[in-house]
Amino acid sequence: MEQVVDLIGASVEHANVSAGELVEVVETTNKMADLSKQVEQILEDFKKEFENVKEIIYNSAKEYSNNVAFIKKEQINKKAEYTNITYKELLNQINYYGTKLYDMGLKNKRIAIVGRNRYEWILAHLTNLLGGIVSIPLDKDLQIDELENSLIRSKADAVVFDEKYIEKIQKIKDDNNTNIKEYISMSKLEGFLDMNSLLEQGKEIYEKGNKEFVETKINSYEMAILLFTSGTTSKSKAVMLSQNNIASNVYAMQLVENFYETDVNLAFLPFHHIFGSTEMIVMLACGLATAFPDGLRYVAQNLKEYKVSVFVGVPLLIEAIYKKIEQGIEKQGKAKLVNSTIKLSNFLLKVFHIDIRRKLFKTILNELGGHMRFIISGGAPLDKKVAKRFNELGIDLVQGYGLTETSPVIAAENYKKVKYGSIGVPMDNVDIEFENKDENGIGELKVKGPNVMLGYYENPEATKEVLKNGWFYTGDLGYIDKQGYIFITGRKKDMIVLKNGKKVFPEELEVLINRLEEVKECMVFGMPDNKDKNDVKLTVKVVYDTNIIETKYPNIEKEELEKIIWEKIKEINKTFPPYKYIKNMILTDKELIKTTTKKIKRNEEMRHLGQV
């Protein structure tokens, strides 16, 4: 064993780790393995199945009473001040605020929430759920008419809003086209009720003996959350979810993913999206702390600031982090060293079960705050090359898959089951099947389980289209391999069918094009062929990365840049059969139209290009 350690020391001379440190790692490996098994057993004991969110929060307030649930940051006199809110304090604040909402006549009503990810948002949402009030999370980035339309369609009785969006709210209030009776600001705002004042008033009422809110019984199987799917509000469907839908999915995630009460989570995914809000309740079920990001530009800073160990994000952001890591390695001229060290660490892990990745790549991990250990990617497919690299560096990265209609997670990888390129295996309490499979075994994924929605609000026709005999039809195409791993090949509606009947899934081409250093993002679609109107030619719209281009090709003309990128795309073509060759390219520096969870709005892009 000592000879192996000497070899490691020689191989990673510049990797900021000493041979002595490595000996220490090796000597403690067996002890850590035993300890890990004990920790896993303890964690298993805490994974309890609950019927609703109220039971989850009450359990966490008991089990993790003095743990920090949330870290609030406020700028006071240009200085950052932090407030830690424990699980016990969180439950108290929910009960005080909820008591006041009942006092205002909002029991059994519907309350919408509009705002950034912040403590007040989650306090409003949890209070709604624990009080049996229907919670309506709305996208803060909706245009005024879309936001107003959502409030009307959902029959909201009140709205809790972030003061940053006061112009939209004020206009809606002045127009008076909604059923809104109460407008509640998340911070003090002249002319409006505010959450903090209501919380204080509720505390007084509660302490005088009013326990109506606290004692409210939850119907776990009726509509508790009303969520609008991505798209323009006039066309989007409103999904009805119950508390049991959410609670069952929280439990399923706890069974397979390792969250520790010592972790710190950065709440980056928008709460108005089901992935963001359910993920937040998972964190609360596990007793860990959550901080809030200051914005996309400050993610790297926030990772260090809060010593973040758990991060849930979309592929666009995770791949951007990956690119920065790779660029840093290249700039330092350490690509060869890193690759050889990865081979060595993989060998030690596989043969001797010795994990020294975090020691070897400490400098690289420090760029992510130094504490990052676990990343969950969801919302869209992640390039398997990216997933592989994070795991090689010592950060467990898994992919999850789901939809708003399934609360959301249907399948996911976990630390025991990882296969790059897949979305993992079905959650324990979910059944899946593929229907109408073609000659390659690819069919539409359908799912059955307690996480499946109640239906689309006031839209029985749309509900019948996707809910059949207890199965929810996802609209996603894919297959399951012999080991039980699920692979998604693309959306049924996005699939491009050529004149010869061949099928092309744009995602498989986009993944490879997005790997090009010059490419920021892209979208593959079928453009009508001028020579044959019954056929289409595969076309890609490429958004080039201006920062990379300015650095790598200073003062280059666009025509020359087009030639360079097109040549690289032709090389990618050679890796596919001829019918999948991309025949045309549109180059731009303007970002593609996307949802707030960074999914490309393909139909809007096509309309913009005059193809719809």
Side-chain angles (χ1 to χ4, degrees):
M1 182 62 75
E2 287 184 7
Q3 289 178 334
V4 173
V5 173
D6 289 340
L7 175 62
I8 297 169
S11 300
V12 296
E13 183 182 352
H14 304 292
N16 292 312
V17 58
S18 69
E21 288 177 308
L22 293 176
V23 171
E24 186 182 341
V25 172
V26 174
E27 289 176 345
T28 58
T29 296
N30 291 332
K31 293 179 182 177
M32 290 301 292
D34 292 337
L35 181 61
S36 178
K37 288 177 183 177
Q38 293 174 31
V39 170
E40 279 189 32
Q41 186 56 54
I42 293 170
L43 287 170
E44 286 298 322
D45 293 340
F46 277 100
K47 291 172 182 175
K48 301 174 184 176
E49 188 169 10
F50 297 104
E51 197 172 75
N52 56 55
V53 176
K54 186 168 187 173
E55 291 177 359
I56 291 172
I57 299 302
Y58 268 81
N59 180 72
S60 291
K62 177 185 174 183
E63 300 290 352
Y64 312 112
S65 179
N66 295 316
N67 284 18
V68 174
F70 293 102
I71 305 166
K72 278 181 66 176
K73 181 169 75 170
E74 296 177 285
Q75 293 293 336
I76 300 175
N77 298 322
K78 296 183 178 180
K79 184 182 178 183
E81 293 198 8
Y82 302 87
T83 303
N84 290 338
I85 297 160
T86 66
Y87 277 81
K88 181 180 179 180
E89 290 168 337
L90 169 64
L91 181 56
N92 285 340
Q93 290 187 16
I94 289 170
N95 287 334
Y96 298 154
Y97 176 57
T99 297
K100 181 59 183 176
L101 292 182
Y102 270 31
D103 182 63
M104 292 165 62
L106 290 170
K107 181 179 180 179
N108 297 326
K109 300 295 185 179
R110 302 179 181 189
I111 300 180
I113 311 172
V114 181
R116 299 162 290 171
N117 282 16
R118 52 189 286 189
Y119 174 66
E120 290 77 11
W121 197 108
I122 200 68
L123 177 61
H125 185 56
L126 291 175
T127 302
N128 288 347
L129 297 180
L130 268 65
I133 296 167
V134 174
S135 198
I136 310 164
L138 295 176
D139 187 344
K140 61 184 172 27
D141 293 322
L142 290 175
Q143 298 298 316
I144 292 176
D145 60 336
E146 294 177 329
L147 184 57
E148 183 181 67
N149 185 268
S150 296
L151 292 168
I152 293 169
R153 284 180 61 193
S154 63
K155 298 183 176 69
D157 300 287
V159 60
V160 176
F161 67 93
D162 189 322
E163 66 278 4
K164 184 178 179 181
Y165 306 99
I166 183 57
E167 287 185 19
K168 293 180 182 180
I169 297 298
Q170 187 68 62
K171 178 72 165 58
I172 291 170
K173 185 180 180 183
D174 291 343
D175 289 347
N176 198 31
N177 294 323
T178 71
N179 191 45
I180 303 294
K181 304 292 190 302
E182 303 289 356
Y183 290 82
I184 304 168
S185 174
M186 292 183 184
S187 298
K188 286 190 180 295
L189 193 63
E190 190 175 345
F192 289 90
L193 299 172
D194 69 88
M195 288 184 71
N196 192 56
S197 297
L198 295 181
L199 195 154
E200 290 175 359
Q201 293 167 30
K203 183 179 180 182
E204 288 183 17
I205 299 169
Y206 176 86
E207 289 178 345
K208 287 178 182 177
N210 187 328
K211 300 297 189 293
E212 184 182 10
F213 176 87
V214 175
E215 294 171 356
T216 292
K217 300 295 182 185
I218 299 299
N219 184 331
S220 305
Y221 300 92
E222 67 180 6
M223 179 177 71
I225 301 173
L226 192 57
L227 270 169
F228 289 91
T229 57
S230 301
T232 55
T233 311
S234 59
K235 294 180 181 179
S236 62
K237 295 183 283 286
V239 176
M240 299 185 291
L241 298 175
S242 70
Q243 289 208 32
N244 187 255
N245 287 153
I246 304 299
S248 68
N249 211 234
V250 168
Y251 177 65
M253 282 189 266
Q254 283 184 282
L255 287 178
V256 294
E257 308 299 359
N258 279 343
F259 300 101
Y260 308 134
E261 60 178 290
T262 52
D263 279 325
V264 178
N265 163 54
L266 188 68
F268 179 80
L269 286 177
F271 287 154
H272 72 261
H273 189 278
I274 188 62
F275 192 18
S277 58
T278 299
E279 165 256 322
M280 187 66 260
I281 295 172
V282 172
M283 302 302 167
L284 290 170
C286 297
L288 50 80
T290 291
F292 301 93
D294 295 321
L296 185 59
R297 289 185 299 165
Y298 303 99
V299 169
Q301 174 186 314
N302 293 151
L303 294 178
K304 295 178 182 179
E305 179 181 7
Y306 296 110
K307 298 180 179 178
V308 173
S309 56
V310 172
F311 184 76
V312 184
V314 293
L316 196 66
L317 178 60
I318 293 169
E319 286 171 7
I321 294 171
Y322 161 81
K323 281 185 179 180
K324 285 189 177 179
I325 290 173
E326 293 298 297
Q327 287 164 13
I329 292 170
E330 287 288 344
K331 279 182 183 177
Q332 294 175 38
K334 289 190 175 182
K336 243 183 181 179
L337 175 64
V338 169
N339 288 330
S340 62
T341 307
I342 283 173
K343 288 179 183 177
L344 181 60
S345 65
N346 286 343
F347 169 76
L348 290 172
L349 190 59
K350 186 176 181 179
V351 178
F352 297 104
H353 306 291
I354 298 171
D355 188 355
I356 56 173
R357 292 173 297 174
R358 297 190 70 85
K359 283 280 188 183
L360 294 176
F361 305 112
K362 185 178 180 181
T363 304
I364 296 172
L365 296 178
N366 283 343
E367 293 302 307
L368 299 178
H371 296 268
M372 186 66 70
R373 69 165 192 85
F374 186 34
I375 294 176
I376 299 177
S377 176
L382 179 72
D383 186 343
K384 59 184 178 182
K385 180 181 176 183
V386 175
K388 186 170 184 283
R389 180 62 107 195
F390 274 106
N391 281 294
E392 286 171 341
L393 295 175
I395 296 174
D396 291 332
L397 188 151
V398 298
Q399 287 199 78
Y401 162 81
L403 300 92
T404 303
E405 291 89 341
T406 54
S407 311
V409 185
I410 293 172
E413 295 177 304
N414 58 67
Y415 74 104
K416 291 180 179 177
K417 294 182 178 179
V418 173
K419 182 175 278 192
Y420 301 125
S422 80
I423 54 162
V425 296
M427 305 307 278
D428 285 9
N429 55 6
V430 167
D431 293 321
I432 66 106
E433 286 183 8
F434 287 93
E435 189 157 292
N436 298 322
K437 292 186 281 189
D438 64 14
E439 66 277 7
N440 298 312
I442 295 173
E444 181 178 1
L445 174 61
K446 63 179 185 179
V447 57
K448 181 189 288 186
N451 58 323
V452 172
M453 68 171 179
L454 302 175
Y456 294 121
Y457 181 63
E458 294 186 337
N459 197 339
E461 294 81 12
T463 301
K464 286 178 184 176
E465 286 179 16
V466 298
L467 284 177
K468 302 170 187 176
N469 299 318
W471 291 92
F472 171 69
Y473 287 70
T474 66
D476 283 320
L477 298 171
Y479 64 93
I480 188 165
D481 70 10
K482 291 179 180 178
Q483 286 75 44
Y485 290 91
I486 301 170
F487 291 80
I488 298 297
T489 53
R491 289 290 290 169
K492 189 176 179 180
K493 64 180 181 181
D494 296 332
M495 182 175 65
I496 303 166
V497 181
L498 305 176
K499 185 181 177 181
N500 59 10
K502 296 285 189 182
K503 299 169 185 175
V504 178
F505 299 102
E507 293 88 348
E508 66 175 332
L509 301 170
E510 289 165 355
V511 164
L512 296 181
I513 296 169
N514 280 330
R515 286 183 189 174
L516 298 177
E517 188 180 14
E518 295 84 358
V519 176
K520 188 174 184 181
E521 58 183 344
C522 71
M523 183 187 85
V524 173
F525 61 98
M527 180 181 281
D529 194 330
N530 292 330
K531 296 178 181 178
D532 186 349
K533 292 183 180 179
N534 295 318
D535 203 1
V536 295
K537 57 181 178 181
L538 294 181
T539 303
V540 61
K541 183 175 181 180
V542 171
V543 179
Y544 61 85
D545 191 321
T546 52
N547 293 327
I548 295 293
I549 300 306
E550 287 170 7
T551 304
K552 194 172 179 180
Y553 310 104
N555 304 317
I556 191 171
E557 295 291 333
K558 189 176 179 181
E559 291 77 11
E560 187 60 30
L561 179 60
E562 282 181 342
K563 289 179 184 177
I564 292 171
I565 295 177
W566 181 239
E567 285 301 317
K568 293 190 176 188
I569 288 175
K570 285 200 292 185
E571 288 301 310
I572 290 173
N573 276 345
K574 293 176 184 177
T575 65
F576 289 102
Y579 74 89
K580 291 185 181 181
Y581 282 9
I582 291 172
K583 304 288 180 62
N584 188 36
M585 179 181 74
I586 299 168
L587 190 65
T588 180
D589 62 348
K590 291 182 172 55
E591 284 196 15
L592 298 174
I593 304 166
K594 292 185 285 294
T595 67
T596 50
T597 52
K598 305 303 178 185
K599 289 181 182 177
I600 297 170
K601 291 187 176 182
R602 293 179 184 270
N603 283 341
E604 287 194 33
E605 274 292 338
M606 295 286 280
R607 275 195 291 272
H608 185 69
L609 292 166
Q611 299 303 313
V612 175

